């Protein structure tokens, strides 16, 4: 299994541009999450999904959108990028309570200039 | 509001010098305390989940313990490859969110 994969690894955006961060897992996990990690800060939950077609807001959802059309994929959309969205984004997945949030992807480092 | 405070922010050890990292937390209805290891440029790697006070878990040179207010990650005879940032997080009952601390950066010198 590849686990949780994310693309791209790095990206530089200009203010106002849009982009989609891709996340795919091959473990047939129902639960998927997007976190962001800012320097010197703890990870914060952006959005999560408990299954295909079901998504919900986390702690810091403003400026982001998600969709979950398949079990495998959970893309994160940034509309009108702002410097405050400069961060490292991690996708994670789990199958349920017994292995909650055990699998993180390698991250996407995004810079908005 | 749920909070997690990790100390120290950074710790430098000599190889073989045992020590502990602290994670103090406040959460209503703890549904799990999590420890992760994070190497530079990588995603967090799961280490342990602890669910109730008095619980302990071990993995190689690492041992995690839990009380009602804090958790400790004990590192016995560390090696340079144990150098990483260690993250602590808590989950409240009924929530899908983990609240993370800022981490402790551990450096083990040979």
């Amino acid at each position: 299994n590849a686990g949780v994969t994310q693309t791209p690894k790095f990206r530089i955006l200009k203010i106002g541009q849009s982009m989609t961060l891709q996340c795919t897992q091959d473990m047939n996990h129902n639960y998927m999450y997007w976190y962001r990690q800012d320097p010197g800060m703890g990870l914060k939950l952006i959005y999560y999904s408990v299954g295909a077609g079901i998504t919900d807001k986390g702690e810091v959802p403003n400026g982001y959108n998600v969709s979950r059309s398949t079990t495998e994929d959970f893309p994160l959309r940034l509309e009108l990028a702002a410097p405050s969205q400069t961060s490292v984004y991690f996708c994670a997945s789990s199958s349920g309570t017994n292995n909650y949030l055990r699998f993180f992807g390698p991250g996407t480092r995004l810079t908005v200039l | 509001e749920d909070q997690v405070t990790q100390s120290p922010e950074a710790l430098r050890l000599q190889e073989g010098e045992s020590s502990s990292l602290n994670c103090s937390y406040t959460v209503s209805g703890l549904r799990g305390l999590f420890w992760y290891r994070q190497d530079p440029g990588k995603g967090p790697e799961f280490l342990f989940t602890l669910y109730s006070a008095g619980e302990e878990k071990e993995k190689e040179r690492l041992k995690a313990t839990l009380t009602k207010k804090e958790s400790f990650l004990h590192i016995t005879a560390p090696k340079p490859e144990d150098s990483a940032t260690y993250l602590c997080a808590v989950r409240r009952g009924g929530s899908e969110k983990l609240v993370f601390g800022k981490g402790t950066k551990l450096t083990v010198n040979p």
Side-chain angles (χ1 to χ4, degrees):
Chain A
N1 287 349
V4 180
T5 57
Q6 293 182 237
T7 57
K9 291 190 176 183
F10 304 95
R11 184 73 185 269
I12 298 175
L13 283 181
K14 294 183 179 179
I15 294 172
Q17 287 185 322
S18 300
M19 76 164 294
T20 299
L21 282 66
Q22 301 291 346
C23 174
T24 300
Q25 52 90 11
D26 62 358
M27 297 171 282
N28 201 33
H29 286 170
N30 285 325
Y31 296 77
M32 295 187 74
Y33 309 82
W34 276 105
Y35 278 83
R36 62 176 284 173
Q37 186 176 37
D38 299 323
M41 303 296 291
L43 282 83
K44 292 191 183 298
L45 181 64
I46 305 171
Y47 271 96
Y48 67 97
S49 169
V50 300
I54 307 170
T55 63
D56 207 347
K57 296 178 180 179
E59 192 175 358
V60 289
N62 291 346
Y64 307 95
N65 279 301
V66 294
S67 60
R68 184 97 181 271
S69 57
T70 68
T71 299
E72 295 77 22
D73 300 306
F74 190 39
L76 178 70
R77 178 80 177 164
L78 278 71
E79 304 282 1
L80 299 174
S84 60
Q85 293 177 306
T86 294
S87 189
V88 182
Y89 293 83
F90 292 102
C91 180
S93 74
S94 69
S95 63
T97 297
N98 288 342
N99 73 345
Y100 179 77
L101 223 59
R102 291 194 180 188
F103 303 95
F104 277 84
T108 294
R109 182 176 295 274
L110 175 67
T111 302
V112 182
L113 300 174
Chain B
E1 184 180 336
D2 302 337
Q3 283 192 327
V4 175
T5 302
Q6 293 188 245
S7 61
E9 289 185 12
L11 180 63
R12 191 175 292 269
L13 300 174
Q14 288 298 122
E15 185 171 1
E17 180 186 2
S18 301
S19 188
S20 296
L21 312 183
N22 178 264
C23 172
S24 297
Y25 67 92
T26 56
V27 64
S28 178
L30 181 70
R31 194 180 173 188
L33 183 138
F34 298 75
W35 282 99
Y36 297 88
R37 168 194 172 122
Q38 186 174 26
D39 292 304
K42 302 283 184 66
E45 175 188 342
F46 172 80
L47 293 174
F48 306 108
T49 306
L50 302 168
Y51 293 101
S52 57
E55 189 174 0
E56 299 182 352
K57 289 192 176 175
E58 290 187 65
K59 179 181 179 180
E60 298 180 356
R61 294 177 292 282
L62 301 177
K63 179 180 177 180
T65 63
L66 181 65
T67 73
K68 289 186 178 180
K69 293 183 178 181
E70 57 191 350
S71 176
F72 292 94
L73 185 65
H74 306 277
I75 304 176
T76 302
K79 298 182 177 181
E81 53 262 43
D82 294 322
S83 297
T85 295
Y86 290 85
L87 306 176
C88 174
V90 296
R91 185 185 184 192
R92 167 198 287 241
S95 173
E96 284 300 324
K97 179 181 75 172
L98 279 186
V99 176
F100 281 83
K102 296 179 180 181
T104 292
K105 183 177 181 180
L106 174 67
T107 303
V108 182
N109 295 315

